[in-house]
Amino acid sequence: MRMICELLTWWLSLVPATGPPQSTARIDSLQQQLATSAPDTGRVLLLTQLAYEYTQITPLAAIAYGKQALQLAQRLHYRRGESLALIRLGSGFREAGNYPAALQVGLHGLRLAEELREPELIGRGLNALGYLNWEQGNSRTALAYFFRAKAVAEKSKNTKLLTRVMGNIGNAYQQLHRLDSAVLFSRRGYELDLANNDLVSEVGDAAMLGNIYSGMGRPDLARQFYRGSIRRAQGQRITFALCRAYLGQARLWQQEAGARADSTIYFGRQALRVGQQSNYPKGVLEASQFLAAAFAARQDSAAAFRYLALASATRDSLFSQTKMTQLQALDVNERLRQRELAEQQAQATHERRQLWLLAALASAVPALLLLWRNNRHKQLANQQLNAQNAQIARQRDDLSNALTHSSKTRRPSWCRAKRRPFWASSRRVLPTSCKIRWPS
């Protein structure tokens, strides 16, 4: 009876909402804007936003839009758009299962963001690389990237980025089975999701909190968060959160009632249905593997074989998709290689110009020294000439003053006293002065 009530409650709560999902409406709006946009920086941003919207729905479409954004940004020399396009491409490659391409493209986008010194882009690049490592099970490397992104978000007061990063830190701690730290960061991220109306992050964090509380042995809290995640994500087709919450609920029932419980099969099939409807290979693969194991435990070999075949086909599809993304990654890598070659050539040209300038300066130094030496000699010669001229001028002035003084004190020859004849009496005294008689 409890199982029936549970199923009815879930069935009523999960009736599809009327009207188109919000994600589809956003994509349609972006497509309409793209159809009339000019080939400028605004179109680059539209393409990167479309790549983001398709990341969880159709990774190949996300890669296609990311490539268009990258090509246009490079043609426009729009470095910020180029960095953002590379980050979106990395997420698309990650969801498509091409982890090497995702790592290479993501690192290139992060390097460009650091060159631009754009805190928002740096934080996004770090968060994307952390998520990539988390998906591959490299939890400690993921935490290193997440904490760097957290520091950037806090320093730049980027609340939206901080909202995503806090939940991702909780995911990494849950992967390390450090559940106390996981619940601390995931709850903080969930609170920020609600405060900032970030629906995508909210439903993802709620589903992850369900997994954490399930691991802590608290099924009531786990079910509460699973239900909240499904209720909020179901009408918006946020596929990854729906698959995570449905599969988490199935595993919770398996822990409590065993693999034979109908609820275990029900929620496993719900996770599979959502993955198939949204063309989400990862969700299909995980759900089909879970159902195969559940039916094998029930000794239903036919159903177990059917789900194993589905898992194998999905794995092959993922492999084929990975092959396709590898071809696309080659094209992206070639464009990045051409860009790096162009940057290296520009750098080499700049260095050659600097070398020519240094050579010209080095060859000009002796000439400049010679000119300075000649100019210095001329200055010294001019100073000596000026000193000699000043000395000559002083001597001339002194001579002129002496002549003037001499002319004033000397008596004219015609005013000298008349000599007396030798026969004159010697007792008479010659006059000491005479009256000057000026000629009339």
Side-chain angles (χ1 to χ4, degrees), residues 150-203:
K150 177 176 176 290
V152 172
E154 290 174 341
K155 185 176 180 181
S156 60
K157 298 181 180 180
N158 190 338
T159 308
K160 185 175 182 179
L161 175 62
L162 185 62
T163 299
R164 302 292 179 93
V165 171
M166 295 296 285
N168 289 337
I169 293 174
N171 296 347
Y173 276 124
Q174 192 267 345
Q175 196 174 59
L176 289 170
H177 303 289
R178 296 174 58 180
L179 298 182
D180 291 338
S181 298
V183 73
L184 176 66
F185 282 97
S186 294
R187 285 301 295 258
R188 178 57 180 154
Y190 185 69
E191 292 170 359
L192 289 172
D193 297 334
L194 296 175
N196 294 282
N197 297 318
D198 192 337
L199 181 61
V200 175
S201 184
E202 174 195 336
V203 294

Side-chain angles (χ1 to χ4, degrees), residues 270-301:
Q270 289 290 350
L272 178 62
R273 177 185 60 82
V274 170
Q276 289 175 328
Q277 287 180 350
S278 300
N279 192 22
Y280 185 54
K282 287 184 179 180
V284 173
L285 179 61
E286 291 181 357
S288 58
Q289 288 174 338
F290 173 83
L291 286 169
F295 277 106
R298 298 176 69 168
Q299 298 181 354
D300 189 344
S301 57

Side-chain angles (χ1 to χ4, degrees), residues 298-325:
R298 298 176 69 168
Q299 298 181 354
D300 189 344
S301 57
F305 178 79
R306 186 170 63 251
Y307 286 113
L308 278 176
L310 178 59
S312 177
T314 305
R315 190 181 296 106
D316 292 341
S317 174
L318 278 172
F319 181 77
S320 300
Q321 183 171 272
T322 303
K323 286 292 186 182
M324 292 179 63
T325 60

Side-chain angles (χ1 to χ4, degrees), residues 87-108:
I87 294 171
R88 297 304 187 209
L89 271 171
S91 298
F93 284 128
R94 180 196 70 219
E95 291 301 315
N98 192 344
Y99 294 134
L103 179 61
Q104 182 179 3
V105 174
L107 287 173
H108 196 91

